[in-house]
Amino acid sequence: MSRSQWKLILQAPCAALLLASVAGAQISGPDSGFAYDPNGKAIRLIVGVPGAAYLGNALLDGLDGAAIAPDGRSAVAAKDGRLLLIGVADGAVTDLGEWSGDLALTAWSADSTAVALKGGRLAGDRLALVRGIGRNAELAAIAQLDDEITAIAVAGSGDAVIAATRSGLYRAGADSTLLALLPDTAALAATPAGDRIFAAAGKQIYSLSGLDASAELAIVLSDAAGLEAPSALAVAADGSLYIGDRGAHKLIAVNPATGEALYAIDLAFEPVAMSRAAGGRFVLSPAAGDSVEIFDPARQAVLFVPQAGVFEAAAGAEE
């Protein structure tokens, strides 16, 4: 739901119930999982249902970045020089070890048991991997590449981490393997099975089959498809590919098997990243980094999720 439509919601009967829960100290009503609030630097509960929800109380604040697992049960966060694993249902916090800087790039496995991380102020372009989430999670450094890392993706349950640099795609590890020469890759996404990686580079979308030196690169969408600056990718459980285009301010749903565009949604912001969220939805990250936007494929809509204070300010304007 757009920002301008929130004023109309406040005039509806459900607005009184939402405002009442904002005013109270306790969260009430339905919830739609958790999201990282870049403005408040906090992990917050999404209170309400998609299209009529807001960011509620903070589970953890004062963060240098956070990423929530696709199943919505856990999150990783950088805070005060440490990397934390958080159980979002019970608020349990596990210290995974020292972490320098923020979380510049993150990528979760489809099953939420592993997450790859790149910190913004790490010495060199280093990657780390947390595996065993839900069991005995451990943080380990996995690779350092000479070139700048621009995007990452996780295959399987952390079985492979694919990193894009300014020159090509690598399987990251102690001895990183060059998979394909593909310059200026802006985004990567793995299929749920982890057998294919999609890459956005230039004005085209590619598919990488195989994750070793014999990997094959093929074009899924060429520049003839009208893409301007694809910058965010995600793959749904059913295999649908979603593309965020920051140049065209659009989100495009594609059948990757045929290259057919299924539908497109106009956006009021520039999307720069997309990640899976609970309930089959996705979180879109705007370039400005100052709002939470949820893409709901079931409704073919991108929904703005405001902080609780937006309701109070709008209510005051009506008086």
Side-chain angles (χ1 to χ4, degrees):
M1 180 166 294
S2 68
R3 296 161 178 79
S4 61
Q5 289 174 300
W6 277 105
K7 187 174 181 180
L8 296 178
I9 284 183
L10 288 170
Q11 297 169 349
C14 65
L17 295 176
L18 291 171
L19 282 169
S21 65
V22 170
Q26 300 297 320
I27 296 175
S28 61
D31 69 80
S32 303
F34 290 81
Y36 176 63
D37 170 18
N39 263 338
K41 296 186 179 300
I43 296 173
R44 298 185 184 278
L45 180 67
I46 301 176
V47 182
V49 295
Y54 64 90
L55 294 180
N57 293 356
L59 176 67
L60 191 66
D61 57 14
L63 304 178
D64 296 314
I68 297 168
D71 64 8
R73 297 177 182 176
S74 56
V76 289
K79 179 180 173 68
D80 300 331
R82 311 296 296 180
L83 186 70
L84 308 176
L85 176 64
I86 304 157
V88 294
D90 57 12
V93 178
T94 302
D95 190 330
L96 294 173
E98 185 177 354
W99 186 263
S100 176
D102 57 11
L103 296 178
L105 295 173
T106 61
W108 282 89
S109 63
D111 64 4
S112 300
T113 64
V115 59
L117 312 161
K118 175 184 176 294
R121 296 194 295 273
L122 291 176
D125 257 37
R126 293 190 294 168
L127 290 175
L129 180 68
V130 180
R131 296 188 70 178
I133 295 172
R135 302 186 300 276
N136 296 307
E138 293 183 346
L139 170 68
I142 56 169
Q144 181 167 348
L145 299 176
D146 294 333
D147 201 1
E148 178 188 357
I149 297 171
T150 58
I152 53 178
V154 176
S157 299
D159 305 313
V161 176
I162 310 305
T165 71
R166 294 297 180 187
S167 58
L169 304 182
Y170 292 81
R171 178 168 179 160
D175 296 309
S176 294
T177 302
L178 177 64
L179 302 178
L181 292 173
L182 189 63
D184 299 325
T185 298
L188 296 173
T191 60
D195 56 345
R196 297 175 70 194
I197 302 292
F198 293 101
K203 295 185 178 182
Q204 301 188 120
I205 306 298
Y206 297 82
S207 171
L208 185 72
S209 299
L211 301 179
D212 54 28
S214 62
E216 297 182 359
L217 193 67
I219 294 179
V220 176
L221 286 177
S222 71
D223 49 10
L227 297 176
E228 295 185 17
S231 50
L233 293 176
V235 187
D238 65 1
S240 297
L241 175 66
Y242 300 115
I243 304 166
D245 190 325
R246 69 180 302 174
H249 288 202
K250 289 182 182 293
L251 186 141
I252 304 162
V254 173
N255 180 341
T258 63
E260 176 191 4
L262 304 176
Y263 58 87
I265 301 171
D266 291 328
L267 304 176
F269 57 90
E270 295 182 20
V272 294
M274 186 164 20
S275 58
R276 291 185 184 186
R281 293 181 285 270
F282 298 83
V283 176
L284 275 168
S285 301
D290 59 357
S291 67
V292 173
E293 311 281 346
I294 303 294
F295 166 47
D296 187 350
R299 299 173 60 175
Q300 297 186 11
V302 174
L303 311 166
F304 167 59
V305 184
Q307 294 191 42
V310 171
F311 286 100
E312 296 167 333
E318 290 297 313
E319 293 177 355

